[in-house]
């Protein structure tokens, strides 16, 4: 074992001087890239098989290497892997340990391979696994929203524009509006998969693999959809990481906007919802307070994820072709994005599953003026152009305001003064439920259309 390079860096051959200790720290990524240990082992096992396929390894050698790698993988799983001071990253750590376990045969594994194609492969494999988990988290959140919307269809509330009371809607309609943003996120996430699922392995350091390994075999072994057709691209491309972080930035933006609605609704002034204790915290000074910290963190962390994306894109944009060490900076940004979006989806799910919805308060916030458009529409149904009816309804609102009453408290005479087409049935306009039910076009808040939305989302979640 004396010829084994266990006490030197794996790339140590041409170096005579020692690495500055701070440089060593600066350079090492094992602290965070260790979480890709399983992907790294899987990639190496597949690669060993491909080396057997081209006669670089015998069947017996391949078996020893695969067994050794499996043993290294177990050490990571069981938390018994002992990191050595010179382990620079997950790739060098695993290879060092393999060589300790099976001797200098371990040194054959890296034939024709570089950490450049290895790291890109690991990142893609790792991210594919995470995307599946994020997808499940997104669906779980949507499921809670849809079930809640289904149960609470009877609750009416004012819908807002410019944060001003605008028109009556169902509470479910509002909740589902956010669920539809998540549906688009789900579609976008699924559309990323083919661009993540590209095999980099077999690109070598940059100029391809000199031993003609079967890259289609490698893709099949590792479950990739396609093979990078250009080796320079294979080691250089990190678009899949940028794209995931862009995706996460937008999904976090949706969580943030929903959180903002609920923060407003949870104020005493609105009182529409009340967060469960599990997702609120108290004030260290003011005993009466219950703060919506969960929602504020969802809103706040959207900035953080956007920062991960913007920071790495800044690193990425000026790089010359192929691998440059700057690319190591992709990891902490991606890991943080994945961790943050995953936790945020779970928190949002918990908040929505447990919050109390105060239907009476929502209902009480409905004032008759939100039916002013319905009043205009009443005259439209009697053949008068909307531009005129809008004006007439406006005058009714102004009259009620001057009299300090609600518009439904105006008399039929008052209405007739405003326009001769007003009839007794005008009083039927002043019914919030009827207003909502009139909105029967696809996308509206009527019961039928809310049910339709629920059905659409259920089928998306089921797929
Ligand atoms: N730890 C490196 C990274 O994360 C692995 C690739 C290193 N390649 C190299 N040529 N130094 O990017």
């Amino acid at each position: 074992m004396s010829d084994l390079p266990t006490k030197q860096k794996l790339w140590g051959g041409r170096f005579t001087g020692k690495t500055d200790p701070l440089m060593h720290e600066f350079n090492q990524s094992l602290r965070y890239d260790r979480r890709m240990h399983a992907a790294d082992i899987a990639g190496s096992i597949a690669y060993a098989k491909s080396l057997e396929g081209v006669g670089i390894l015998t069947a017996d050698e391949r078996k020893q290497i695969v067994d050794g790698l499996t043993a290294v993988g177990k050490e990571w799983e069981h938390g018994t892997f002992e990191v050595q001071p010179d382990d620079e990253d997950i790739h060098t750590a695993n290879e060092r340990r393999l060589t300790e376990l099976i001797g200098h045969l371990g040194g054959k594994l890296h034939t024709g391979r570089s950490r450049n194609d290895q790291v890109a492969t690991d990142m893609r494999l790792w991210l594919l696994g995470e995307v599946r988990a994020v997808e499940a988290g997104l669906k779980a959140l949507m499921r809670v929203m849809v079930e809640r919307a289904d149960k609470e269809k009877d609750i009416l509330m004012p819908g807002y524009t410019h944060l001003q009371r605008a028109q009556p809607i169902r509470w479910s309609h509002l909740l589902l509006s956010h669920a539809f943003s998540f549906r688009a996120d789900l579609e976008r996430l699924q559309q990323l998969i083919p661009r993540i699922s590209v095999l980099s392995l077999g690109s070598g350091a940059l100029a391809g693999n000199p031993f003609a390994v079967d890259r289609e075999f490698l893709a099949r072994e590792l479950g990739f959809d396609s093979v990078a057709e250009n080796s320079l691209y294979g080691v250089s491309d990190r678009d899949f990481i940028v794209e995931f972080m862009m995706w996460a930035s937008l999904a976090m933006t949706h969580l943030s906007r929903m959180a903002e609605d609920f923060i407003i609704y949870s104020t005493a002034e609105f009182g529409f919802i009340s967060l469960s204790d599990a997702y609120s915290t108290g004030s260290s000074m003011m005993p009466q307070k219950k703060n919506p910290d969960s929602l504020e963190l969802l809103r706040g962390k959207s900035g953080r994820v956007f920062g991960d994306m913007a920071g790495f894109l800044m690193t990425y944009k000026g790089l010359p072709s192929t691998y440059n060490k700057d690319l190591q900076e992709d990891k902490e940004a991606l890991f943080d994005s994945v961790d943050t979006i995953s936790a945020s989806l779970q928190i949002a799910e918990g908040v929505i599953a447990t919050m109390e919805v105060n239907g009476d308060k929502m209902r009480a916030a409905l004032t008759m003026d939100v039916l002013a458009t319905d009043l205009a529409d009443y005259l439209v149904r009697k053949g008068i152009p909307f531009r005129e009816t809008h004006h007439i309804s406006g005058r009714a609102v102004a009259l009620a305001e001057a009299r300090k009453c609600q518009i439904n408290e105006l008399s039929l005479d008052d209405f007739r003064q405003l326009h001769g087409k007003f009839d007794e049935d005008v009083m039927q306009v002043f019914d919030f439920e009827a207003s909502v039910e009139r909105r029967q076009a696809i996308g509206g808040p009527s019961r039928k259309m809310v049910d339709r939305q629920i059905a659409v989302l259920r089928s998306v979640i089921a797929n």
Side-chain angles (χ1 to χ4, degrees):
M1 300 261 290
S2 62
D3 59 332
L4 294 182
T6 52
K7 289 278 176 282
Q8 67 188 61
K9 294 195 183 334
L10 290 189
W11 41 257
R14 80 175 285 280
F15 285 80
T16 48
K18 280 207 163 65
T19 312
D20 177 272
L22 181 59
M23 174 55 199
H24 175 74
E25 274 306 298
F26 198 55
N27 189 36
Q28 80 97 21
S29 55
L30 185 59
R31 193 174 68 250
Y32 45 85
D33 67 16
R34 58 197 301 155
R35 65 191 289 177
M36 304 195 300
H37 63 79
D40 193 71
I41 298 285
S44 286
I45 288 177
Y47 194 66
K49 292 181 187 168
S50 76
L51 288 178
E52 181 192 356
V54 291
I56 298 283
L57 296 177
T58 64
D60 178 58
E61 286 173 329
R62 185 262 306 144
K63 186 178 179 317
Q64 287 183 57
I65 289 177
V66 169
D67 290 349
L69 286 166
T70 307
V72 177
K74 289 236 163 70
E75 292 186 1
W76 281 113
E77 276 165 40
H78 300 150
T80 55
F81 188 99
E82 279 180 33
V83 170
Q84 298 302 320
D86 271 347
D87 289 342
E88 191 180 312
D89 53 25
I90 185 63
H91 328 293
T92 50
N94 280 343
E95 192 181 328
R96 187 263 308 155
R97 184 67 186 132
L98 173 70
T99 308
E100 281 170 10
L101 291 178
I102 69 166
H104 77 285
L105 170 61
K108 285 196 172 185
L109 173 63
H110 213 50
T111 311
R113 184 176 71 168
S114 156
R115 278 184 294 159
N116 298 354
D117 57 347
Q118 190 177 1
V119 69
T121 306
D122 289 8
M123 294 288 282
R124 289 174 183 279
L125 264 186
W126 180 84
L127 185 56
L128 282 170
E130 295 299 315
V131 162
R132 274 174 217 116
V134 171
E135 191 181 334
L138 195 55
K139 285 184 174 177
L141 168 61
M142 290 168 69
R143 195 170 296 121
V144 161
M145 296 174 78
V146 167
E147 292 322 309
R148 188 139 210 170
D150 195 18
K151 283 203 195 77
E152 293 173 337
K153 268 184 295 205
D154 290 338
I155 302 176
L156 300 183
M157 68 181 292
Y160 295 82
T161 65
H162 312 266
L163 265 188
Q164 309 292 319
R165 278 197 287 257
Q167 289 181 327
I169 55 171
R170 291 189 189 283
W171 147 247
S172 303
H173 196 55
L174 177 100
L175 194 55
L176 292 170
S177 72
H178 291 293
F180 274 98
S181 297
F182 297 131
R183 180 233 186 145
D185 288 329
L186 184 62
E187 271 176 21
R188 274 187 284 266
L189 185 64
Q190 290 164 342
Q191 286 160 357
L192 291 186
I193 293 173
R195 288 186 296 281
I196 305 172
S197 192
V198 179
L199 177 86
S200 293
L201 198 57
S203 297
L206 76 160
N209 188 290
F211 299 102
V213 291
D214 183 348
R215 297 189 65 214
E216 277 159 352
F217 163 81
L218 280 171
R220 280 196 303 280
E221 278 289 297
L222 293 169
F224 285 109
D225 290 347
S226 67
V227 174
E229 294 285 342
N230 178 299
S231 63
L232 307 181
Y233 172 85
V235 297
S236 194
D237 176 66
R238 296 293 184 279
D239 293 5
F240 64 101
I241 291 174
V242 174
E243 263 196 282
F244 178 84
M245 294 193 290
M246 286 177 167
W247 174 85
S249 301
L250 188 54
M252 286 299 299
T253 300
H254 295 145
L255 286 170
S256 175
R257 291 191 64 183
M258 178 172 75
E260 175 62 8
D261 271 356
F262 294 163
I263 289 168
I264 294 170
Y265 295 165
S266 70
T267 57
E269 285 73 11
F270 275 78
F272 288 1
I273 62 168
S274 170
L275 293 202
S276 71
D277 288 351
Y279 294 97
S280 343
T281 58
S283 156
S284 56
M285 186 185 176
M286 299 161 284
Q288 85 284 9
K289 288 197 72 190
K290 182 160 144 185
N291 296 326
D293 291 31
S294 50
L295 296 171
E296 290 167 336
L297 285 167
L298 290 176
R299 193 176 57 184
K301 284 182 189 293
S302 63
R304 171 193 181 113
V305 170
F306 187 95
D308 289 333
M309 182 268 290
F312 178 64
L313 200 51
M314 190 69 82
T315 295
Y316 191 44
K317 81 170 185 64
L319 299 187
S321 279
T322 81
Y323 184 82
N324 302 271
K325 195 61 173 258
D326 318 47
L327 289 175
Q328 183 163 283
E329 291 298 310
D330 60 359
K331 284 169 203 61
E332 285 166 294
L334 177 66
F335 296 163
D336 187 65
S337 294
V338 168
D339 291 343
T340 308
I341 185 81
S342 304
S344 299
L345 290 169
Q346 284 182 55
I347 293 291
E349 181 193 341
V351 168
I352 294 178
T354 59
M355 72 189 185
E356 213 177 281
V357 173
N358 192 342
D360 293 341
K361 279 268 196 174
M362 290 183 176
R363 180 81 190 207
L366 281 167
T367 44
M368 284 297 161
D369 53 296
V370 300
L371 296 173
T373 321
D374 294 70
L375 184 65
D377 293 345
Y378 167 90
L379 289 178
V380 164
R381 290 194 169 87
K382 305 214 168 198
I384 304 161
F386 178 72
R387 273 292 153 240
E388 282 171 46
T389 69
H390 178 274
H391 189 75
I392 297 161
S393 174
R395 287 178 59 204
V397 171
L399 184 62
E401 233 171 59
R403 298 227 188 115
K404 298 200 184 336
C405 70
Q406 302 258 0
I407 36 175
N408 62 325
E409 288 162 358
L410 297 175
S411 67
L412 184 55
D413 269 359
D414 293 331
F415 282 116
R416 286 236 164 93
Q417 298 262 292
L418 292 169
H419 200 281
K421 291 260 174 171
F422 276 117
D423 239 322
E424 259 164 30
D425 62 351
V426 66
M427 290 306 162
Q428 288 169 18
V429 166
F430 302 113
D431 177 338
F432 301 116
E433 180 81 27
S435 161
V436 166
E437 281 310 293
R438 251 177 247 123
R439 285 158 169 82
Q440 290 283 343
I442 295 174
S446 66
R447 191 174 294 270
K448 196 167 155 214
M449 286 306 130
V450 166
D451 281 338
R452 179 184 161 116
Q453 297 174 47
I454 290 170
V456 168
L457 290 173
R458 280 201 177 125
S459 82
V460 169
I461 296 166
N463 281 321

